[in-house]
Each structure stands twice: as C-alpha cells, then as structure tokens.
Amino acid sequence: MRGLWIAALLGVSCAAQNIDFAKDVAPVLVEQCLACHSAGKAAGGVALSSREVLIARKAIVPGNPEASPLYRLSALPSSQPGAMPPGGPRLPDDQLAILKRWIVQGAPWPKGMALASTTRTAPADEHDTVRRIRQRILDHQSAAAKSGRYSVTIPNTTVSFQMVPIPAGEFEMGSTSKPDEQPQHKVRVDAFWMQAHEVTWDEYRLFMFSQQSGKVATADGLVDAIAGPTRPYVEMSFGMGIDGFPAISMTQHAANKYAEWLSAKTGEFYRLPTEAEWEYACRANSPAPELAGHAWYGANSEGKYHNVATTQPNAWGLYDMLGNVMEWTLDQYAPYPAAAQANPWVKATAPYPQVARGGSWNDEAGAIRCTARVASDATWKQQDPQLPKSIWYLTDAQWLGFRLVRPAKIPNAGEMFGYWNSGVEHDEQ
C-alpha cells in the first residue's frame, strides 16, 4: 500500500500501478468508511455494497476522482464542512492516493465481493478489565504521588492537561432560588483534583477515534479492551472549532468511558465529578464572581463556544466552571435530601434524566450559576439518524461537555466499575 504511494510521488503513472481491490482498496473502505456506510446504516443513503450502488448514488464517477464525492470529500481538511469521515481525522495521504488511483482506473470491484467489518468485539468480562486497570493504577501509585497543581501528558502523545487540587471541606449545597435546588443541606466532600478546564477535542479525539480502524490501536491490550465510540454521523464540533476548544455532544456514558480509557492510559484514576463535588469546586469557598470576564454565555459568546481557559479562573484556579459548555456530573437527576450528607452520589440507573451543571455559551445570565441543575432528556438526541439512537452522541446538545476529577483516595474495583458504567443503556452498539 505504501509502496504504491511512494511510486506515485516519484511520478510513476497511475495507469501503471494496477489497483487490487481486495488488497488495496477494501481495507481503506473498511477502516475509514464502513462504520457509517454499511448496508445496515447507509448514512446519506450511500452503502458500500457494490460498484453499481456507488455509481447509482453518485458517490463515484469512474475515471474522475475530483467529481467523485467518495474521494473529493475524503480529501478535504477535517475542519471543512462536508469533510469525510465526519469529525476527522482526515485520511492519510497513502490511503487517499489509493482511492484516487482506483477511481482513475474505473473503480473496479469484483462481483460478489462484500466488505466485512473487522472491529474488535467487546471484552467478555468488563469487571475483569476494571480489576486490571485498578492494578495498573496501584502499580503506578508511587510514581504518581502528587501535591498541588500538576500537569499530565497523555502517554504517546503531546496532549496535556492541568490538574488542580481541591481541599476537603463542607458547604451548604443548593439554594433558595429554584425548587429543584432545595432544600439547602450540609454536604462534606473529601479532597480531590479536578481538571483545570473542560476536556478539549485535542484530548477527547484520541479516545473518540482510537478504535475506528478495527486494529489494535495502542499495542496495549488493556487500553484496547475498553469500549469506544462508533464513528459519528456528523462533524461533532458543528463548525465551532476543534483545536483548544471543548469537546461537546457526548453522552454521560461516553464521558464515563473516556474516564476509564484515560485511567488505563495514564495509570491514574479518573471519573466524572459528583454533583456535590462539582458545586463545591465551582463555589471555591468564595462569593460568586461577576460573569463578565469569568464566563462565556449568551451575552458575549456570539452564539458559539470558545477556547478553554480564555476567561479568568475561579478562586481555586478552575476555568470555565460557569459558561462555555455545560458539564456532565456523575449523578442521576433526583430531589435533594434535607439531611446532611458526606460524599453523596445518586448512581445513574437509566440514561435519562442525568445531571449537567454550569450553564453554557447558549444560556442567559440567570442560568449561569454554581447551583443551577439541568436534567438530560431524549430530545438531546433528536437529530440522531440511527435506530436505535447512539449511546455515544447527543447531536442536539452542542452546549454540553465535561471535565474529570481524580479523588485523593483510590476506590476499590467494584466502585470503579460503578463509576465507569453509570447509567449504561442496554442496547449498546
């Protein structure tokens, strides 16, 4: 495959390089396209089932790559509207060269040859995977001992993020402003670290596309055993930007699986914050700051999200706790109790409603409060064309993201399993 690309770069004519569909083209289509264009899904009405179907659907024009959307859209930069695969990353140059030569040569496709997915099957025992991740975390514990603010670089990448220490403490959770923020009640939380800013596309896309090829992506069987998202049907930043911008429109389940994946990658335990931890960190033992200078919201966002950490942080050094994108918590949406609590968590047992916090670029000032709660619902997937709806994406929640916490105390394997599998739908794809 790479030899053909090198030959093309050296000026060898396309005609001289005969394409073998089974050897050269089929692996590219399976790796890059089949997840969205199988006979069962046929995104945009295009199924990769035969040459005749692709011609009939005007996906290819034999002999003319530039007039063939299959090639032309795949060659676009991932940031441009219509780029395929949606959400990126762009196909490698050698794979684009193969598709181009194949179309130049008439797009031959042997009759009767069908494309078959090679995606990995899920691990037989998720509990065993979690136990193995926990052991990795314990083995890494002495090397991972931290105090104060610190930086984490995701292994085998240049992508990094900051973790901010949050001290143990007690506070009055809730408010008298809204019925679902009542009653105010005393809550104590243990110490933890929290990501300084929301998870960005730079971070999340490493997970989002880690399993799309159907091959072992990391040569790390433990990391590769973790379920990952299917390829999205649309470009998931919705044109608002990728580099340095917050990742959006994932389900709570997807955020939980990212936390599991990141824990396996780094040897440090991560999860979503509970509602109580999130509100405590947002308050930062300080009066609520003025929104101007501290938050992107309806009055100043210009109708889109912004790069993370471009406003002023709160008193504990956390950026964008208010505004920019709303953030997932670990909890099922439920009424508050009146009694005092320690480290409360309402485990999600269903996909709806779950709790998001902080308000977003799309909200007016009244919704941008540390105490404001939002309950998820099925309309957040309304534009999703799949049946059943995806367990990974919320196509209509373009104002929703997340950040992770790292508790000071490492939980046991059963607790880890509960955190990473909270609210899982049963029709997992």
Side-chain angles (χ1 to χ4, degrees):
M1 186 180 294
R2 190 164 299 274
L4 293 177
W5 175 52
I6 293 172
L9 290 178
L10 292 175
V12 178
S13 70
C14 289
Q17 304 299 320
N18 291 324
I19 284 290
D20 183 314
F21 181 84
K23 178 183 176 183
D24 301 320
V25 181
V28 177
L29 297 179
V30 168
E31 178 179 333
Q32 300 290 358
C33 310
L34 192 61
C36 293
H37 296 285
S38 65
K41 292 185 177 179
V46 177
L48 293 171
S49 52
S50 70
R51 179 178 185 271
E52 290 72 25
V53 167
L54 292 180
I55 293 173
R57 299 303 300 175
K58 300 182 179 179
I60 59 171
V61 177
N64 191 343
E66 300 302 331
S68 301
L70 177 65
Y71 170 76
R72 179 170 48 80
L73 298 180
S74 298
L76 289 175
S78 60
S79 59
Q80 287 195 18
M84 292 291 170
R90 180 177 178 270
L91 268 63
D93 289 343
D94 57 342
Q95 293 186 353
L96 286 171
I98 287 170
L99 292 180
K100 185 173 185 178
R101 284 198 302 278
W102 174 59
I103 295 171
V104 165
Q105 294 175 16
W109 185 319
K111 284 192 176 296
M113 178 173 287
L115 302 181
S117 173
T118 58
T119 53
R120 293 189 300 273
T121 56
D125 187 353
E126 169 71 6
H127 288 277
D128 180 64
T129 299
V130 172
R131 286 191 291 269
R132 291 164 60 207
I133 293 173
R134 185 174 189 271
Q135 187 57 55
R136 176 173 290 183
I137 291 168
L138 293 175
D139 292 344
H140 187 251
Q141 187 174 13
S142 59
K146 304 287 194 308
S147 62
R149 188 184 185 110
Y150 69 95
S151 179
V152 178
T153 299
I154 298 176
N156 303 314
T157 78
T158 59
V159 177
S160 63
F161 55 89
Q162 295 282 315
M163 297 299 292
V164 175
I166 308 299
E170 199 171 78
F171 73 110
E172 287 287 327
M173 186 171 179
S175 76
T176 59
S177 300
K178 303 285 185 180
D180 72 338
E181 298 170 22
Q182 301 174 27
Q184 286 186 296
H185 56 293
K186 187 169 290 186
V187 169
R188 178 166 184 81
V189 295
D190 293 337
F192 59 95
W193 282 270
M194 179 175 258
Q195 286 184 299
H197 56 68
E198 295 141 345
V199 173
T200 65
W201 283 119
D202 309 80
E203 299 159 52
Y204 190 69
R205 280 158 58 92
L206 296 173
F207 164 68
M208 187 173 170
F209 294 108
S210 65
Q211 299 192 15
Q212 298 309 312
S213 68
K215 303 173 183 177
V216 175
T218 65
D220 183 334
L222 183 54
V223 172
D224 295 323
I226 299 165
T230 54
R231 189 180 291 281
Y233 278 73
V234 295
E235 194 279 304
M236 292 304 296
S237 79
F238 298 91
M240 292 189 288
I242 293 174
D243 295 337
F245 290 96
I248 57 168
S249 297
M250 72 291 294
T251 60
Q252 189 203 58
H253 172 67
N256 286 331
K257 287 301 170 185
Y258 173 80
E260 182 177 3
W261 174 87
L262 187 66
S263 299
K265 287 282 285 183
T266 62
E268 298 183 356
F269 173 67
Y270 295 99
R271 61 166 169 79
L272 284 174
T274 64
E275 265 206 274
E277 288 168 338
W278 192 96
E279 183 173 325
Y280 176 66
C282 183
R283 288 173 176 267
N285 283 345
S286 302
E290 294 291 330
L291 292 183
H294 285 86
W296 297 111
Y297 65 111
N300 65 1
S301 69
E302 299 181 344
K304 61 182 180 179
Y305 60 42
H306 290 257
N307 284 114
V308 299
T310 53
T311 57
Q312 298 176 43
N314 73 5
W316 280 342
L318 299 170
Y319 294 89
D320 300 311
M321 290 296 284
L322 297 175
N324 210 23
V325 294
M326 201 176 294
E327 298 178 15
W328 274 124
T329 70
L330 196 58
D331 292 59
Q332 193 88 51
Y333 184 89
Y336 285 158
Q341 295 181 294
N343 300 308
W345 170 41
V346 180
K347 186 180 188 302
T349 57
Y352 309 108
Q354 298 159 345
V355 184
R357 291 293 206 114
S360 78
W361 58 266
N362 194 43
D363 289 314
E364 298 306 315
I368 312 296
R369 298 178 292 111
C370 290
T371 58
R373 311 171 74 204
V374 174
S376 66
D377 65 62
T379 64
W380 294 10
K381 291 186 183 181
Q382 194 166 340
Q383 297 179 69
D384 185 349
Q386 300 182 81
L387 290 173
K389 300 289 190 183
S390 172
I391 63 170
W392 300 103
Y393 303 106
L394 295 171
T395 50
D396 296 77
Q398 297 166 19
W399 28 258
L400 176 66
F402 70 105
R403 75 180 77 206
L404 300 178
V405 298
R406 181 191 173 204
K409 180 182 177 181
I410 298 174
N412 63 42
E415 291 168 331
M416 285 187 182
F417 181 90
Y419 294 139
W420 292 335
N421 292 280
S422 177
V424 176
E425 295 177 337
H426 296 295
D427 57 345
E428 182 163 348
Q429 300 171 32

